[in-house]
Each structure stands twice: as C-alpha cells, then as structure tokens.
Amino acid sequence: MIEYRDVGMHYSDDTQVLHHINFTIEDGELFVLVGPSGTGKTTALKMLNGLVVPTDGNIYFDGKRIKEYDIRKLRLQMGYVLQNISLFPNLTIEDNIGIQLEEMKRPTAERKQIAADLLNTVGLPAEKYAHRMPSELSGGEQQRVGIIRAIAARPKVVLMDEPFSALDPVSRHNLQDLVLQIHQKYNSTILFVTHDMNEALRLGDRIGVMAEGDMQQIATPQALLDHPANDIVRSFFSGISKTDKPVVELLKQAQTCTVIDESEAQSLPQVDALITTADLVTTLRQHPDGVVTHSGGRLFKITMDDLLDFLAAGGEALV
Amino acid sequence: MFKQIEEVLRTQSGQIWQAIGEHIAISLISLLIACLIAIPLAIALMNHHRIAEFFLQVAGVFQTIPSLAILGILIPFVGIGTVPAIIALVIYAIMPLFQNTYAGLTDIDPSLEEAATAFGLSRSRKLFRLELPLAMPMILSGLRIATVMIIGTATLAALIGAGGLGTYIILGIENNNNALLLIGAVLSAILAIVFSALIRLLERVHFTKRGVIVTLCVFLIACGAGAFKYFAPSRQTITIAGKMGSEPEILINMYKDLIQQESPKTKVVVKPNFGGTSFLFKALESKQIDVYPEFTGTVLQAIVKEKGKTPHNPEVTYKKAKTALAKDNQMTYLKPMAYQNGYDLAVSRSFAKKYHLKTISDLAKVGDKATAAFDPDFYHQADGYPGLKKAYGLHIGTVKTMESSIRYEAIADHRVKVVDGYTTDPEIQKDHLVVLKDNKHFFPPYQGAPLMTTTFADRHPEVKRALSKLAGKITTTDMQKMNYDVTFKHEKAATVARHYLKTHGLLN
C-alpha cells in the first residue's frame, strides 16, 4: 500500500508546486492522477521513486517512509515508463527490457527468456524484435517496449508518467488496452499520470483529479462523472458536455456503438436517445451488458466500453 | 631533389624506420597517459560542472603555451630526452580528450539519465552501460584530435633528444637539406593520417569489440614501453652526444671506438643529431649526457659569454675557454683536434688560377673583379664580411646574400666566384673549391675538443686518456673528406670514423 500523507513541495523562492495532498493507493490498484499540466502530478509521481524529494510530509510504502529505504533497492522494485519513452539507444530491445534484471544480477539466459516472452505477449515477435535497436522501431512499438521494460523485473509498483501523450490516437488506444491487460494479468499496482481526462476515465480504478497543486477529488470514473466535487472537476468534462447534441448522437458519429436488430434488443434495457452523459454512465453501471436506444429509425447497442472508448479517443474532438 | 630523397631512403632506411618507431612509441605512450588522466577525470567531474569548467580553462591556458616553451620549462625539472617530450605531449593531449569526453558525458539526454536512475542502476552500470557508450563517438573524436596533434607536435621531441621523425626535420633545417626535411615532414604527416584513419575505423566497430581492441593496444604499448625501458641505457654506460650534422656524428663515433678500445667493458651510447649548443650544454650539466665535442670559439662566444673580442690565436682561444669552463662550470675541456672549422672564404678553382689567389690578401687586390654569394649572417656580422673589409681592405664588386646551401650551388654553376663557408664543409671537395688562407688570422679559431664535467673526467681517467689521443689529429682536409664521404657518398658515420682511426694508427 502506498500512502501520501500531507505531501507538499515548495521551492526556496516559496513557489508552492504541491500543497498538502493526501491519498492512498491500494495494492493491485490502477490509480490515475489527472489534471492540466503544471499541477504537480508528475512531481507527486516522482516522489514515489525518489527522483523528487518532498519538502513537506511523507510517503509511506508498505508502512515505511520512502526516505528510510535504500533508494536504489527501492527503485529496483519499481517500474518506470517515461513520457518520451527513453529506451537506451545504445542497447538492443532485449537488453533494454532486461536492464533492471541485469542490475539484479539475473543470468543472461533468464533475461533473454523474460524479454522474449514479454515481446511475444505484446505482439512484437521476439525473433524479429529482440536484437533490433530502439531507433528501428516506430514510436508506438517503442513505447510498447517501454512498458514491458517497466514490468520485466516484476516490480511491486509501476509508475507511468504521461506515457502516451506523444503518440497518435490509434497507438494510444492500443497501448491503453495493453496497460489494462497487464494490470489484469499481473495484478500490479500502477500509478498513472495523464492530463487527458478520457484516458483517466478509461484506465483508472480510481482517479485523483489535481489542479493548481491541490487534490480536487478522488473517486471512481463513474462517481467522477456522476458527482463532480466542484467546478474545476466539472470543467474537465466541459469538452463532452458543452455541446447540446445528446451523447447518443455523438456515439453514432464516432461509430463507437453497434447497430443491432430487434431480437437482440429485446434482452437489453432501453434508454431515451436524449439521455445525458452522466445518466448514461449510471445506467450502464447497473447494466454491464449494455443498453439499447432507438435513434433515426435504427436500434443501437451501447456498452460501458463503447462510452469509455469514445471518451478516451478524445470525444471532445467531435464537438 | 627526388634523387636525393630516394638516395636517403635507400641508404638510411634503418635509421628512418627507427625514427618512425620512436615517433610512434612517444606518441602512443603520451596518448595512453593522456587518456588515463583525461577520461577518468572527465568521468569524475561530469557531475561537478563548476570544477570541470575551471579545469577546462586551465587546460585551455596550457594549450596556448607554445610547445617549445613547455619543453624549455621542463628541462630544468626532468632533464632532456623522452620524459620531458612525453610530459609536454600529454599536457597538449589532455585538453581535447577531456573536453570531448566531458561534453560527450554531459550532453546525454537527461531523460535517459532519469530512466537509468529510476530503474535503480548503480553508478558503474550507468557509466558502462549507458553513459560511456553514448559518449563514445565524442570521446573517439577527441582521441583522434589528440592523436593528430601529438604526432604533429612529437616532431619537436627531436629538439630535446627524444628522437623521432623530428630529427630529420631539424637536420633538414640545420643542413639546409630539403630531402631530409621532406622525409621527416611527410612521414609524420602520413603517420598522423594513418592513425586518424585507424581511430575512424575503431568508431565503426561494436562497443565490446572496441574494448577488446583498445585493451590489446594498451597491452602492446605497455610491452613496448617495458622493452624500451629494458633496453634503455642504464647510468653505468657512457653517453656521448653530438650536434646536428655529419661532422659531430663522425667525431662521437671516434670517441666511442677509442673509449671502448681503452676500456672494452664500458658500454658507450652515441646520440647523434642531439640538439643545438645550449641544449647540449644543459644536457651535459644535468648529466643526461657525459661527453660531447664542442668548438673552442663557440665556448667563448656562446657558453661562457666571454666579453671582448675572441682572440685570433687558436691556442690562446683554447686556453681561455678551458680556464673559463673549469672555473665557472666545473667542466673539463680536453685538448682540441688539429682541424679548424671556422668561417672561410672559398673561390672556384678557375678563378683562383686566373688571378693566382692563395690568401685573402690576394683576393683583396682583385676584389672589384669578383662576385660573391654570402650567407646573410656572414654579410652582416662583425666577424664576417664587414670585419674582412676592415682587416684586409677587401671590397668585392657584387655581393649577393643567399641561404647557406644555395650559395654553394651558385658557385658550382659559376654564377659567383666567391662564397663564405665553414672550413670543413664537404662541398669544398665536391665542387673543387679553393679555400683562401686567412693570412691575417682574422677569423676566430673554431677547434673541436671533447667537453665533459670535471666530476666525470675524474671518475673516468680512461675516457680522458682515450679521447686525448685525438688531440692535434685530424686536419681540415681530413675532416672535409670525411664529411664528404658521409654527406654525399652516404657512407655510415661509424664506418668513416673507424676507417680514419685505423689508417692513422689510433685504433688496432
């Protein structure tokens, strides 16, 4: 368990980048810190692996303060995915993935095996990719390697600092899926930082919304949509809510819902085509199989995944 | 010119290879030491920017000191020979190596550094797995700059007796022999190009293989240096050095033969073309060398800085020089040989025949009919042409000044009738010139004699005994002929020296 207790950060000239924030991350949780850039979320993340030392408060990792750990040993138990990927350009993909294992003095054969297995799982066949250099891979492929590099040593915690912000929407979407897969498969604790609310909604078990160096609200994605704590949090959805078009219309435009026939529609609850986003979320939580709506003479099936995909793909772009 | 180069290459290939070997050895040892200093230092200072900047400034200042000045500064502390040469080269090479290594290490993308830190990599793994490989192109380019610079600057090592290709350059300048100069310059340029290309090749090789190659090179250099040390003369041996040119080389080979005849167990090392007067004298004072032949006139004019005019009587000159050396420098100056190597005036044989010229006084009578080519120094100095004018009333019709070797060509081509020169110049024989007798003893006498410290002379009476055998021997004509044999017939100085000693009954 990770616990931020009264953690603050200010510089010598008294600029406060982080006020006293408190939150906990449970083991196996995918916790997302979201907020506009410059709100201290990356600073908060880097405090966990000691890249930044807080000026106030303490962070507890498994009940012990971070500053009491041998920082290098602690870092070996943490994976790290960087915004600009930062694969070591002089090392092969295989060596990049095995770098933490190498530091742990694990035998070469084992390192190779782990790298190969991971590469195969993420759709980069090991026999083709293991010995390539990072520069020979596309940006999306590189970050795929960046993610498996972070989990190769089976760390207790994986830190991801805006890992997909530099990628194109398709790669971003695929890699978000990868993060969810990994999270499910290894049940690893993940602290994920992003400025993209849709990404946060799609990934987070729980989401901490940060703004102006303060924690605004910590809640599940549905609760955030249902009950934003204040105007700041609400404003994150402005992109989605500022249009008069009903959400169903937007989903149709984005083709993130499926046309079904009447026989299939009978088993699902029906919602009004003019339903609000928040209401849709609430309904979908109660009906995990999805809901049906009647629009423009056709029947559409909408699931929670459809909605989150739409939001994550940057729903506001369509507005 | 090409014929001359070809001739030198053919007859002296052994010495040239040795010079190349010395040049490479000095350069690589310096490079290795510079690497061992600069690269670890850059690594140590990569996270201390202020100190690194300060060090860069200091290294930059050293860089601006002319290499000759550094060599000069070093001589009082470490003497002469290979050591000061290597120190000077190391000082020069540190700057580019440090600068490039430091720049390479500090230019690494900070997010890569952050990733390495965040993964919990140790300092050394970070260094060897990430930082050094990423900085390697910069380090190698620094290495290349340093190598080219070292190989170029190492030519100056010859000035302080460290040998190498610079010997040929300096010899070429001193003797006005462009063939030697070109051989030295071109070969050192080729060396620089070859080594630069080798390092370029190294840049393309994989990192780990590179490590193997570099380790191998270091090992080989270390072995070479070890062997060098092993074969280097210990202080039990007697070291005899000589100035630039054929004549001192012949003399010191005679010294060697004579000493070894007197005391067969003594090991004698000869160092020809060792340097100029003040350099050799300093070497003698600092006991880097034990004996070298010096001229009486030079002692009075350049070493003991005698006030007033140098006496024209050779015996008086020798005595004055001997006394001054013993008193001021605790040196022993043995008796001089017969020949005089001073200024002279030489005329072509036909011109001498036509006007029956034997002495400078004879020439003074027909001076207006003559054309002369004089060395610029001779033309201006009081002990040259201006002095002759006064002493003999000599006024030559047309005088041209030209470089010392060119004036012999001018007289050989009959473009001038009179030239100045040194009495033992081999061209006198080659071009069949007539040396006019200095019947008024105007030119200060230059007689060669062995010079050594008194401490050495006292400890080695056998050397004194052996070298004294040359006193009063070797006439000017003998010396001219021997110089001619070495310079133009390309015979070995050692052979010529031994031949003389044997035919004159000095050596059994």
Side-chain angles (χ1 to χ4, degrees):
Chain A
M1 195 176 77
I2 297 156
E3 192 179 356
Y4 281 63
R5 225 181 265 173
D6 274 338
V7 174
M9 182 80 193
H10 61 80
Y11 293 125
S12 49
D13 62 348
D14 255 19
T15 19
Q16 191 89 20
V17 281
L18 213 55
H19 296 116
H20 295 252
I21 60 165
N22 290 283
F23 64 96
T24 52
I25 305 168
E26 303 296 335
D27 285 343
E29 190 176 23
L30 202 171
F31 190 93
V32 178
L33 279 178
V34 69
S37 44
T39 49
K41 46 193 197 311
T42 294
T43 308
L45 173 129
K46 286 182 179 175
M47 285 171 174
L48 195 51
N49 63 1
L51 290 175
V52 174
V53 178
T55 47
D56 305 298
N58 273 301
I59 300 161
Y60 294 82
F61 179 59
D62 288 341
K64 199 165 126 187
R65 274 181 279 205
I66 292 290
K67 56 186 174 193
E68 287 166 8
Y69 280 92
D70 175 340
I71 191 66
R72 225 162 50 70
K73 281 189 186 138
L74 181 71
R75 282 170 179 161
L76 281 173
Q77 298 173 25
M78 292 189 180
Y80 190 44
V81 184
L82 292 88
Q83 176 175 2
N84 53 7
I85 308 171
S86 296
L87 295 182
F88 301 125
N90 58 309
L91 300 182
T92 61
I93 296 304
E94 180 181 82
D95 285 349
N96 261 287
I97 297 171
I99 192 76
Q100 248 180 336
L101 296 165
E102 193 182 312
E103 184 63 45
M104 294 161 148
K105 311 235 158 36
R106 302 272 274 276
T108 317
E110 187 188 336
R111 295 200 316 254
K112 279 177 183 285
Q113 189 58 49
I114 290 174
D117 289 347
L118 285 168
L119 280 171
N120 289 331
T121 3
V122 299
L124 302 173
E127 68 270 20
K128 204 171 143 202
Y129 283 89
H131 298 289
R132 289 200 189 173
M133 299 309 278
S135 56
E136 299 169 54
L137 272 59
S138 73
E141 288 173 329
Q142 284 186 29
Q143 194 56 302
R144 218 162 261 261
V145 175
I147 290 170
I148 56 179
R149 175 175 66 168
I151 59 166
R154 290 300 187 87
K156 288 188 185 162
V157 183
V158 181
L159 309 180
M160 300 192 178
D161 183 14
E162 305 232 13
F164 311 138
S165 58
L167 299 178
D168 62 283
V170 177
S171 305
R172 195 184 310 156
H173 189 260
N174 291 338
L175 284 165
Q176 284 164 355
D177 283 343
L178 178 64
V179 170
L180 288 171
Q181 268 173 40
I182 284 170
H183 180 228
Q184 215 161 26
K185 187 165 171 190
Y186 300 104
N187 197 29
S188 43
T189 311
I190 298 176
L191 175 55
F192 192 105
V193 162
T194 178
H195 64 261
D196 178 355
M197 191 49 152
N198 300 312
E199 188 168 75
L201 288 172
R202 185 163 147 76
L203 296 178
D205 290 336
R206 281 190 308 147
I207 297 169
V209 182
M210 288 182 74
E212 292 157 14
D214 263 326
M215 189 64 87
Q216 304 294 336
Q217 186 175 7
I218 300 171
T220 61
Q222 289 86 351
L224 271 185
L225 287 166
D226 282 353
H227 309 290
N230 54 33
D231 284 347
I232 297 174
V233 178
R234 196 171 297 120
S235 72
F236 283 123
F237 305 101
S238 62
I240 302 163
S241 51
K242 76 184 165 200
T243 170
D244 294 338
K245 279 190 187 171
V247 65
V248 172
E249 200 59 34
L250 296 173
L251 286 168
K252 269 168 67 186
Q253 268 181 35
Q255 298 179 335
T256 41
C257 50
T258 14
V259 182
I260 53 168
D261 54 33
E262 277 201 44
S263 59
E264 199 182 340
Q266 273 167 5
S267 59
L268 296 171
Q270 194 153 358
V271 295
D272 190 281
L274 299 174
I275 191 170
T276 62
T277 310
D279 285 345
L280 181 60
V281 170
T282 320
T283 320
L284 281 172
R285 277 181 60 197
Q286 287 156 4
H287 304 283
D289 291 340
V291 295
V292 132
T293 186
H294 195 271
S295 170
R298 282 186 294 175
L299 288 169
F300 295 93
K301 179 184 163 189
I302 303 167
T303 61
M304 189 61 148
D305 268 0
D306 289 338
L307 178 60
L308 287 178
D309 273 353
F310 166 70
L311 295 176
E316 64 264 64
L318 289 167
V319 179
Chain B
M1 167 81 85
F2 288 112
K3 243 177 139 183
Q4 227 179 330
I5 293 178
E6 195 247 304
E7 178 111 27
V8 175
L9 287 179
R10 190 160 43 80
T11 52
Q12 302 187 24
S13 67
Q15 287 105 303
I16 291 175
W17 279 114
Q18 194 196 337
I20 293 176
E22 281 168 355
H23 206 94
I24 295 178
I26 294 172
S27 301
L28 288 187
I29 291 171
S30 310
L31 194 65
L32 178 66
I33 297 173
C35 283
L36 289 179
I37 296 173
I39 296 175
L41 196 65
I43 292 170
L45 294 183
M46 66 179 285
N47 294 320
H48 304 275
H49 298 276
R50 279 237 188 102
I51 308 174
E53 287 302 324
F54 172 76
F55 183 81
L56 268 177
Q57 297 287 337
V58 173
V61 169
F62 271 113
Q63 203 76 8
T64 59
I65 304 175
S67 21
L68 262 179
I70 289 195
L71 292 177
I73 293 165
L74 285 172
I75 290 173
F77 299 106
V78 290
I80 52 157
T82 320
V83 177
I86 288 178
I87 294 176
L89 293 178
V90 167
I91 290 174
Y92 273 97
I94 280 182
M95 164 86 171
L97 279 168
F98 178 83
Q99 195 169 32
N100 276 43
T101 308
Y102 178 73
L105 287 172
T106 48
D107 274 359
I108 294 171
D109 181 353
S111 61
L112 290 178
E113 294 275 358
E114 188 189 292
T117 309
F119 284 125
L121 301 192
S122 63
R123 183 78 193 84
S124 63
R125 192 172 307 272
K126 232 166 107 173
L127 186 66
F128 289 108
R129 268 317 238 162
L130 181 69
E131 290 160 348
L132 280 180
L134 289 180
M136 199 46 81
M138 283 292 279
I139 298 176
L140 285 176
S141 101
L143 190 72
R144 217 173 52 231
I145 297 168
T147 308
V148 171
M149 216 161 72
I150 280 185
I151 290 177
T153 316
T155 50
L156 288 172
L159 283 175
I160 53 167
L165 290 168
T167 314
Y168 286 89
I169 297 178
I170 291 163
L171 215 55
I173 294 171
E174 299 248 336
N175 295 357
N176 222 311
N177 184 334
N178 286 337
L180 291 179
L181 200 147
L182 266 181
I183 286 172
V186 169
L187 283 179
S188 49
I190 290 175
L191 266 192
I193 293 168
V194 167
F195 274 85
S196 167
L198 284 178
I199 296 171
R200 244 181 225 289
L201 271 181
L202 199 62
E203 283 168 29
R204 297 210 196 110
V205 179
H206 188 263
F207 184 63
T208 46
K209 276 188 206 150
R210 210 185 274 157
V212 174
I213 293 172
V214 171
T215 320
L216 209 72
C217 289
V218 168
F219 179 73
L220 283 178
I221 296 169
C223 282
F228 193 72
K229 188 99 194 149
Y230 184 76
F231 291 112
S234 63
R235 285 302 293 166
Q236 305 301 333
T237 59
I238 293 175
T239 310
I240 304 173
K243 295 187 188 176
M244 299 286 166
S246 58
E247 188 174 307
E249 192 176 353
I250 296 167
L251 289 179
I252 60 177
N253 274 294
M254 288 185 181
Y255 290 3
K256 179 183 176 181
D257 283 347
L258 289 171
I259 291 170
Q260 282 182 333
Q261 175 176 248
E262 194 74 27
S263 142
K265 278 183 191 157
T266 311
K267 201 176 159 208
V268 180
V269 178
V270 291
K271 296 200 165 189
N273 303 315
F274 202 61
T277 300
S278 60
F279 177 71
L280 273 163
F281 191 73
K282 268 188 190 145
L284 193 62
E285 277 184 316
S286 61
K287 301 191 168 44
Q288 301 278 331
I289 58 173
D290 298 310
V291 186
Y292 84 92
E294 185 55 279
F295 290 116
T296 52
T298 310
V299 170
L300 288 187
Q301 290 191 331
I303 297 177
V304 298
K305 300 278 157 66
E306 164 80 12
K307 286 205 185 82
K309 269 187 84 183
T310 305
H312 292 307
N313 181 326
E315 263 174 59
V316 177
T317 307
Y318 167 67
K319 287 216 171 97
K320 265 184 106 168
K322 184 184 153 104
T323 319
L325 281 169
K327 205 175 102 218
D328 300 343
N329 307 89
Q330 289 79 47
M331 298 251 179
T332 297
Y333 198 27
L334 299 185
K335 283 221 165 75
M337 292 161 286
Y339 78 90
Q340 296 215 4
N341 186 1
Y343 277 129
D344 68 18
L345 283 188
V347 293
S348 64
R349 190 172 278 179
S350 54
F351 189 69
K353 227 175 217 167
K354 194 169 168 192
Y355 294 102
H356 310 288
L357 303 180
K358 289 214 169 72
T359 64
I360 300 180
S361 293
D362 294 344
L363 178 66
K365 288 175 206 151
V366 293
D368 52 336
K369 296 194 178 70
T371 48
F374 288 155
D375 177 272
D377 285 346
F378 182 83
Y379 184 68
H380 292 295
Q381 281 172 6
D383 58 348
Y385 184 50
L388 278 178
K389 276 188 188 168
K390 258 190 233 161
Y392 287 94
L394 173 69
H395 291 280
I396 291 172
T398 331
V399 180
K400 292 170 186 164
T401 60
M402 49 181 84
E403 276 287 351
S404 39
S405 72
I406 303 171
R407 61 182 191 224
Y408 278 119
E409 281 172 31
I411 199 167
D413 290 350
H414 305 290
R415 281 187 281 136
V416 296
K417 304 293 183 204
V418 186
V419 291
D420 71 300
Y422 293 104
T423 42
T424 56
D425 280 343
E427 286 88 349
I428 292 169
Q429 284 211 339
K430 183 171 159 269
D431 302 333
H432 310 293
L433 304 181
V434 175
V435 174
L436 298 178
K437 197 163 187 254
D438 181 15
N439 53 322
K440 291 189 178 170
H441 300 289
F442 168 74
F443 292 124
Y446 282 76
Q447 281 184 297
L451 183 61
M452 62 196 85
T453 63
T454 306
T455 338
F456 177 83
D458 292 346
R459 201 176 299 153
H460 296 277
E462 79 283 1
V463 172
K464 241 173 115 176
R465 218 163 34 237
L467 299 188
S468 295
K469 285 182 186 161
L470 279 177
K473 295 281 170 8
I474 312 181
T475 62
T476 308
T477 328
D478 290 339
M479 201 66 237
Q480 275 176 13
K481 185 176 178 308
M482 287 191 280
N483 280 339
Y484 177 76
D485 289 344
V486 173
T487 312
F488 291 108
K489 286 166 80 182
H490 302 289
E491 281 177 36
K492 272 192 169 177
T495 320
V496 172
R498 188 159 298 167
H499 178 75
Y500 177 88
L501 292 178
K502 284 207 166 138
T503 49
H504 289 76
L506 295 168
L507 196 71
N508 304 324

